Amino acid sequence: MLASMNGLTINEAAQTTGWSPRMLRYVEQAGLIAPERSASGYRLYGPAQLQRLRTLKELLERFDVGLSDVAFAARMAASAELREAVQEWLTAQPHRPEDVSADDWLRFEQEKHQKLLAVA
Amino acid sequence: MLASMNGLTINEAAQTTGWSPRMLRYVEQAGLIAPERSASGYRLYGPAQLQRLRTLKELLERFDVGLSDVAFAARMAASAELREAVQEWLTAQPHRPEDVSADDWLRFEQEKHQKLLAVA
DNA sequence: CCAACATTACCACGACTATGTCAAGGTTTG
DNA sequence: CAAACCTTGACATAGTCGTGGTAATGTTGG
Protein backbone atom coordinates (compact mmCIF):
# COMPACT_ATOMS: atom_id res chain seq x y z
CA MET A 1 0.00 0.00 0.00
CA LEU A 2 3.07 2.14 0.03
CA ALA A 3 3.21 4.54 -2.87
CA SER A 4 0.42 2.81 -4.65
CA MET A 5 -2.62 4.12 -2.87
CA ASN A 6 -4.08 7.22 -1.45
CA GLY A 7 -0.95 8.95 -0.31
CA LEU A 8 2.57 8.65 0.98
CA THR A 9 3.33 7.41 4.44
CA ILE A 10 5.20 9.67 6.77
CA ASN A 11 8.70 8.52 5.90
CA GLU A 12 8.04 8.75 2.22
CA ALA A 13 6.52 12.16 2.65
CA ALA A 14 9.52 13.17 4.68
CA GLN A 15 11.85 12.27 1.89
CA THR A 16 10.04 14.13 -0.84
CA THR A 17 9.46 17.23 1.23
CA GLY A 18 12.68 17.63 3.13
CA TRP A 19 10.98 17.61 6.50
CA SER A 20 11.84 14.97 9.06
CA PRO A 21 9.08 12.57 10.12
CA ARG A 22 9.29 14.11 13.54
CA MET A 23 8.65 17.55 12.11
CA LEU A 24 5.78 16.37 9.97
CA ARG A 25 4.04 15.30 13.12
CA TYR A 26 4.94 18.58 14.73
CA VAL A 27 3.62 20.59 11.79
CA GLU A 28 0.43 18.65 12.10
CA GLN A 29 0.21 19.40 15.78
CA ALA A 30 0.65 23.06 15.04
CA GLY A 31 -2.48 22.73 12.97
CA LEU A 32 -0.86 23.58 9.68
CA ILE A 33 -1.09 20.34 7.71
CA ALA A 34 -3.23 17.42 8.75
CA PRO A 35 -3.00 14.42 6.43
CA GLU A 36 -5.73 11.85 6.10
CA ARG A 37 -5.37 8.65 8.04
CA SER A 38 -5.60 5.09 6.86
CA ALA A 39 -8.05 2.80 8.60
CA SER A 40 -5.31 1.76 10.98
CA GLY A 41 -4.22 5.30 11.69
CA TYR A 42 -1.26 5.71 9.36
CA ARG A 43 -0.82 9.23 8.05
CA LEU A 44 -1.35 9.46 4.30
CA TYR A 45 -0.02 12.55 2.61
CA GLY A 46 -1.65 13.49 -0.67
CA PRO A 47 0.04 15.37 -3.53
CA ALA A 48 -1.45 18.71 -2.56
CA GLN A 49 -0.24 18.35 0.97
CA LEU A 50 3.22 17.35 -0.16
CA GLN A 51 3.34 20.46 -2.24
CA ARG A 52 2.12 22.55 0.64
CA LEU A 53 4.79 21.09 2.84
CA ARG A 54 7.48 22.04 0.37
CA THR A 55 6.06 25.51 0.01
CA LEU A 56 5.86 25.89 3.74
CA LYS A 57 9.44 24.92 4.16
CA GLU A 58 10.51 27.43 1.58
CA LEU A 59 8.39 30.10 3.20
CA LEU A 60 9.95 29.55 6.59
CA GLU A 61 13.45 29.57 5.25
CA ARG A 62 13.06 32.45 2.87
CA PHE A 63 11.67 34.82 5.43
CA ASP A 64 13.11 33.22 8.51
CA VAL A 65 9.78 32.88 10.23
CA GLY A 66 8.70 30.14 12.60
CA LEU A 67 5.91 27.65 12.44
CA SER A 68 4.27 29.53 15.26
CA ASP A 69 4.28 32.66 13.12
CA VAL A 70 2.49 30.89 10.32
CA ALA A 71 0.17 29.32 12.86
CA PHE A 72 -0.62 32.78 14.13
CA ALA A 73 -1.28 33.99 10.60
CA ALA A 74 -3.63 31.06 10.17
CA ARG A 75 -5.33 32.01 13.38
CA MET A 76 -5.81 35.54 12.13
CA ALA A 77 -7.09 34.27 8.83
CA ALA A 78 -9.62 32.15 10.66
CA SER A 79 -10.81 34.71 13.18
CA ALA A 80 -12.18 37.98 11.94
CA GLU A 81 -12.26 39.26 15.46
CA LEU A 82 -8.58 38.66 16.07
CA ARG A 83 -7.62 39.87 12.63
CA GLU A 84 -9.52 43.09 12.98
CA ALA A 85 -8.25 43.77 16.45
CA VAL A 86 -4.66 43.29 15.34
CA GLN A 87 -5.05 45.27 12.16
CA GLU A 88 -6.71 48.06 14.00
CA TRP A 89 -3.91 48.21 16.48
CA LEU A 90 -1.33 48.21 13.74
CA THR A 91 -2.97 50.90 11.67
CA ALA A 92 -3.59 53.24 14.59
CA GLN A 93 -0.90 55.89 14.31
CA PRO A 94 1.68 53.53 12.87
CA HIS A 95 4.57 55.46 14.44
CA ARG A 96 6.12 55.90 11.03
CA PRO A 97 7.56 52.57 9.91
CA GLU A 98 10.90 54.04 8.85
CA ASP A 99 11.67 54.82 12.47
CA VAL A 100 11.69 51.36 13.68
CA SER A 101 10.14 48.65 11.60
CA ALA A 102 12.92 48.24 9.12
CA ASP A 103 15.90 48.94 11.24
CA ASP A 104 15.00 48.32 14.83
CA TRP A 105 13.29 45.02 14.97
CA LEU A 106 15.42 43.83 12.15
CA ARG A 107 18.32 44.19 14.50
CA PHE A 108 16.15 42.63 17.14
CA GLU A 109 15.46 39.66 14.92
CA GLN A 110 19.02 39.28 13.80
CA GLU A 111 20.74 39.43 17.13
CA LYS A 112 19.86 35.89 17.97
CA HIS A 113 21.38 34.54 14.83
CA GLN A 114 24.43 36.66 15.34
CA LYS A 115 24.96 35.03 18.68
CA LEU A 116 25.66 31.83 16.84
CA LEU A 117 28.04 33.47 14.42
CA ALA A 118 29.66 35.41 17.20
CA VAL A 119 30.90 32.19 18.74
CA ALA A 120 33.16 31.59 15.80
CA MET B 1 10.33 68.27 33.25
CA LEU B 2 8.38 65.32 34.49
CA ALA B 3 4.78 65.43 33.41
CA SER B 4 5.07 68.98 32.21
CA MET B 5 6.71 68.53 28.87
CA ASN B 6 6.63 66.38 25.85
CA GLY B 7 5.71 63.08 27.38
CA LEU B 8 5.89 60.79 30.35
CA THR B 9 9.10 59.18 31.44
CA ILE B 10 9.27 55.44 31.56
CA ASN B 11 8.16 54.98 35.15
CA GLU B 12 5.26 57.33 34.71
CA ALA B 13 4.27 55.62 31.50
CA ALA B 14 4.53 52.29 33.26
CA GLN B 15 2.05 53.37 35.87
CA THR B 16 -0.58 54.66 33.51
CA THR B 17 -0.34 51.76 31.13
CA GLY B 18 0.05 48.80 33.41
CA TRP B 19 3.26 47.67 31.79
CA SER B 20 6.43 47.43 33.82
CA PRO B 21 9.34 49.70 32.86
CA ARG B 22 11.21 46.57 31.94
CA MET B 23 8.49 45.54 29.54
CA LEU B 24 8.20 48.97 28.01
CA ARG B 25 11.81 48.66 26.96
CA TYR B 26 11.13 45.17 25.72
CA VAL B 27 8.11 46.26 23.71
CA GLU B 28 10.30 48.90 22.17
CA GLN B 29 12.94 46.36 21.31
CA ALA B 30 10.32 44.24 19.65
CA GLY B 31 9.73 47.21 17.39
CA LEU B 32 6.17 47.81 18.49
CA ILE B 33 6.32 51.14 20.27
CA ALA B 34 9.29 53.44 20.10
CA PRO B 35 8.89 56.62 22.14
CA GLU B 36 10.77 59.79 21.38
CA ARG B 37 13.89 60.49 23.34
CA SER B 38 14.86 63.58 25.26
CA ALA B 39 18.18 65.21 24.43
CA SER B 40 19.84 63.09 27.08
CA GLY B 41 18.24 59.89 25.95
CA TYR B 42 15.28 59.57 28.29
CA ARG B 43 12.26 57.91 26.74
CA LEU B 44 9.27 60.23 26.46
CA TYR B 45 5.92 58.58 25.90
CA GLY B 46 3.26 60.72 24.26
CA PRO B 47 -0.49 60.37 24.77
CA ALA B 48 -1.00 58.39 21.60
CA GLN B 49 1.68 55.94 22.57
CA LEU B 50 0.29 55.54 26.03
CA GLN B 51 -3.03 54.70 24.51
CA ARG B 52 -1.44 52.28 22.13
CA LEU B 53 0.30 50.60 25.01
CA ARG B 54 -2.95 50.12 26.83
CA THR B 55 -4.63 48.82 23.71
CA LEU B 56 -1.75 46.48 23.07
CA LYS B 57 -1.97 45.06 26.54
CA GLU B 58 -5.65 44.45 26.14
CA LEU B 59 -5.10 42.85 22.76
CA LEU B 60 -2.53 40.44 24.13
CA GLU B 61 -4.65 39.46 27.06
CA ARG B 62 -7.93 39.20 25.24
CA PHE B 63 -6.67 36.85 22.57
CA ASP B 64 -3.81 35.36 24.47
CA VAL B 65 -1.25 36.22 21.84
CA GLY B 66 2.38 37.13 22.36
CA LEU B 67 4.33 40.23 21.55
CA SER B 68 6.13 38.19 18.95
CA ASP B 69 2.82 37.41 17.31
CA VAL B 70 1.97 41.07 17.04
CA ALA B 71 5.51 41.77 15.89
CA PHE B 72 5.02 39.20 13.18
CA ALA B 73 1.75 40.79 12.16
CA ALA B 74 3.55 44.11 11.97
CA ARG B 75 6.19 42.49 9.84
CA MET B 76 3.53 41.19 7.50
CA ALA B 77 1.86 44.56 7.40
CA ALA B 78 5.16 46.14 6.47
CA SER B 79 6.28 43.65 3.85
CA ALA B 80 4.04 42.95 0.91
CA GLU B 81 6.31 40.12 -0.10
CA LEU B 82 6.00 38.32 3.21
CA ARG B 83 2.32 39.04 3.51
CA GLU B 84 1.56 37.72 0.06
CA ALA B 85 3.68 34.66 0.52
CA VAL B 86 1.95 33.80 3.76
CA GLN B 87 -1.51 34.54 2.49
CA GLU B 88 -0.92 32.53 -0.60
CA TRP B 89 0.21 29.59 1.44
CA LEU B 90 -2.78 29.85 3.71
CA THR B 91 -5.32 30.15 0.95
CA ALA B 92 -3.91 27.30 -1.10
CA GLN B 93 -6.24 24.38 -0.45
CA PRO B 94 -6.93 25.38 3.14
CA HIS B 95 -7.49 21.75 4.17
CA ARG B 96 -10.94 22.69 5.41
CA PRO B 97 -10.60 24.82 8.52
CA GLU B 98 -13.21 22.85 10.46
CA ASP B 99 -10.94 19.86 10.44
CA VAL B 100 -8.19 21.36 12.36
CA SER B 101 -8.01 25.09 12.75
CA ALA B 102 -10.62 25.46 15.41
CA ASP B 103 -10.17 22.26 17.29
CA ASP B 104 -6.70 20.97 16.71
CA TRP B 105 -4.37 23.84 17.23
CA LEU B 106 -6.67 25.21 19.82
CA ARG B 107 -5.88 22.18 21.83
CA PHE B 108 -2.26 22.68 20.84
CA GLU B 109 -2.37 26.23 22.12
CA GLN B 110 -4.15 25.35 25.29
CA GLU B 111 -2.09 22.42 26.39
CA LYS B 112 0.65 24.65 27.67
CA HIS B 113 -1.70 26.58 29.88
CA GLN B 114 -3.24 23.40 31.11
CA LYS B 115 0.12 22.24 32.30
CA LEU B 116 0.03 25.01 34.80
CA LEU B 117 -3.46 24.17 35.92
CA ALA B 118 -2.68 20.50 35.98
CA VAL B 119 -0.19 21.06 38.77
CA ALA B 120 -2.95 22.02 41.14
C1' DC C 1 25.22 68.84 45.78
C1' DC C 2 22.43 64.89 46.26
C1' DA C 3 18.30 62.11 46.16
C1' DA C 4 15.44 60.28 42.66
C1' DC C 5 15.13 58.66 38.26
C1' DA C 6 17.03 57.04 33.41
C1' DT C 7 20.12 54.38 30.50
C1' DT C 8 22.35 50.20 28.91
C1' DA C 9 24.27 45.74 29.86
C1' DC C 10 24.06 41.53 32.18
C1' DC C 11 22.24 37.30 34.94
C1' DA C 12 18.38 34.38 35.87
C1' DC C 13 14.29 31.61 35.32
C1' DG C 14 10.28 29.20 33.70
C1' DA C 15 7.75 28.28 29.62
C1' DC C 16 7.61 27.42 24.72
C1' DT C 17 9.87 26.26 19.92
C1' DA C 18 12.20 23.18 17.11
C1' DT C 19 14.41 18.84 16.80
C1' DG C 20 16.18 14.37 17.74
C1' DT C 21 15.87 9.91 19.80
C1' DC C 22 14.08 5.95 22.10
C1' DA C 23 10.45 2.77 23.93
C1' DA C 24 6.29 -0.02 23.72
C1' DG C 25 3.08 -1.67 20.90
C1' DG C 26 0.14 -2.17 16.44
C1' DT C 27 0.43 -2.96 10.84
C1' DT C 28 1.99 -4.37 6.42
C1' DT C 29 4.15 -7.30 3.45
C1' DG C 30 7.15 -10.61 1.41
C1' DC D 1 6.09 -15.16 10.92
C1' DA D 2 9.63 -11.67 10.83
C1' DA D 3 11.55 -7.49 9.03
C1' DA D 4 10.25 -2.98 8.15
C1' DC D 5 7.24 0.61 9.05
C1' DC D 6 3.68 3.31 11.74
C1' DT D 7 1.65 5.29 16.16
C1' DT D 8 1.75 7.77 20.45
C1' DG D 9 4.30 9.23 24.39
C1' DA D 10 8.25 10.48 26.86
C1' DC D 11 12.88 12.39 27.54
C1' DA D 12 16.51 15.66 26.01
C1' DT D 13 18.55 19.86 24.39
C1' DA D 14 19.64 24.35 22.40
C1' DG D 15 17.53 28.60 21.69
C1' DT D 16 13.74 32.17 22.20
C1' DC D 17 10.09 34.75 24.80
C1' DG D 18 8.54 37.19 28.68
C1' DT D 19 9.88 38.94 32.97
C1' DG D 20 12.22 40.33 36.97
C1' DG D 21 16.40 41.70 39.01
C1' DT D 22 21.10 44.25 39.67
C1' DA D 23 25.18 47.02 38.52
C1' DA D 24 27.53 50.84 36.66
C1' DT D 25 26.86 55.25 35.03
C1' DG D 26 24.61 59.50 33.43
C1' DT D 27 20.60 63.18 34.26
C1' DT D 28 17.39 66.06 36.72
C1' DG D 29 15.48 68.95 40.02
C1' DG D 30 15.18 71.08 44.39
Side-chain angles (χ1 to χ4, degrees):
Chain A
M1 149 284 243
L2 287 163
S4 53
M5 253 207 74
N6 253 314
L8 304 195
T9 59
I10 199 167
N11 269 289
E12 299 168 328
Q15 288 200 242
T16 37
T17 60
W19 291 90
S20 65
R22 177 65 171 85
M23 285 311 291
L24 289 182
R25 299 196 180 95
Y26 188 68
V27 166
E28 181 177 355
Q29 243 216 337
L32 296 180
I33 291 188
E36 298 295 309
R37 297 299 189 104
S38 75
S40 55
Y42 281 25
R43 273 167 258 258
L44 295 176
Y45 292 86
Q49 293 175 318
L50 295 171
Q51 194 47 51
R52 256 166 91 62
L53 282 169
R54 293 188 201 100
T55 312
L56 178 58
K57 197 170 175 50
E58 201 197 312
L59 178 62
L60 298 190
E61 285 162 4
R62 182 146 82 98
F63 296 97
D64 190 31
V65 300
L67 281 180
S68 44
D69 291 323
V70 179
F72 179 66
R75 201 180 152 189
M76 279 199 292
S79 162
E81 210 186 345
L82 208 207
R83 182 180 349 113
E84 281 157 22
V86 172
Q87 284 183 341
E88 192 190 308
W89 188 86
L90 288 174
T91 49
Q93 41 265 293
H95 69 61
R96 288 146 312 158
E98 326 76 272
D99 280 1
V100 67
S101 288
D103 186 57
D104 198 23
W105 75 254
L106 230 182
R107 208 169 24 234
F108 178 63
E109 282 290 301
Q110 287 176 345
E111 265 161 21
K112 35 188 168 185
H113 306 302
Q114 291 180 338
K115 283 176 187 172
L116 292 178
L117 301 175
V119 182
Chain B
M1 152 280 242
L2 288 161
S4 55
M5 254 206 72
N6 254 314
L8 304 195
T9 58
I10 199 167
N11 269 290
E12 299 169 328
Q15 289 199 239
T16 37
T17 60
W19 290 92
S20 65
R22 177 68 172 80
M23 284 311 291
L24 288 183
R25 299 197 179 95
Y26 188 69
V27 167
E28 180 177 355
Q29 242 215 338
L32 296 182
I33 290 189
E36 299 295 308
R37 297 298 189 105
S38 75
S40 55
Y42 281 24
R43 274 165 258 255
L44 295 176
Y45 293 86
Q49 293 176 318
L50 295 171
Q51 194 47 51
R52 256 166 93 63
L53 282 169
R54 293 188 200 100
T55 312
L56 178 58
K57 198 171 175 49
E58 201 197 311
L59 178 62
L60 299 191
E61 285 162 5
R62 182 145 82 98
F63 297 97
D64 190 31
V65 301
L67 281 180
S68 45
D69 291 324
V70 180
F72 180 67
R75 203 180 151 190
M76 278 199 292
S79 161
E81 211 186 345
L82 207 207
R83 181 179 350 115
E84 281 157 22
V86 171
Q87 284 185 340
E88 192 190 308
W89 189 85
L90 289 174
T91 49
Q93 41 265 295
H95 66 61
R96 290 143 312 156
E98 327 75 274
D99 280 1
V100 68
S101 288
D103 187 57
D104 198 22
W105 76 253
L106 230 183
R107 208 166 27 233
F108 178 63
E109 282 289 302
Q110 287 176 345
E111 265 162 20
K112 34 187 169 185
H113 307 301
Q114 291 181 339
K115 283 176 186 169
L116 292 178
L117 301 175
V119 182

